[in-house]
Amino acid sequence: MRLRVEFTTEPFDLDEAPAHAVVAREVIDAAPLDAVDVGPFGNTAEGGAEVVLAAVDALLRRTIDAGATRISLQVNVIAEGER
């Protein structure tokens, strides 16, 4: 099964990337995910279910430790053949 995760961390800072946003990027870059898209207002990554779930666990734990006060995320099951 493949999953797609979309997430944002807050609080936002448009002048400089906050520590929690930097940590989120590190977590996603370190995971063996596919189709990673990191942007200023949202991030998306895809991969096998176990890889995505492990990345989400690390993302939640590490960004909270780095000062995130809110993490919004959505996880979708990707239908066979969908991209």
Side-chain angles (χ1 to χ4, degrees):
M1 174 188 320
R2 290 184 55 79
L3 300 176
R4 177 183 301 125
V5 61
E6 299 175 52
F7 66 92
T8 58
T9 60
E10 297 179 40
F12 294 116
D13 183 341
L14 296 178
D15 295 327
E16 183 177 329
H20 58 80
V22 173
V23 166
R25 177 66 186 255
E26 291 171 356
V27 168
I28 294 304
D29 284 345
L33 296 162
D34 307 325
V36 174
D37 182 23
V38 177
F41 299 108
N43 309 284
T44 305
E46 295 179 13
E50 291 304 315
V51 172
V52 170
L53 294 174
V56 167
D57 179 65
L59 176 83
L60 292 172
R61 293 174 189 278
R62 292 192 51 208
T63 57
I64 289 169
D65 286 346
T69 58
R70 179 178 178 158
I71 301 143
S72 301
L73 81 101
Q74 178 174 317
V75 177
N76 293 301
V77 174
I78 300 172
E80 191 79 24
E82 178 186 346
R83 273 282 164 140

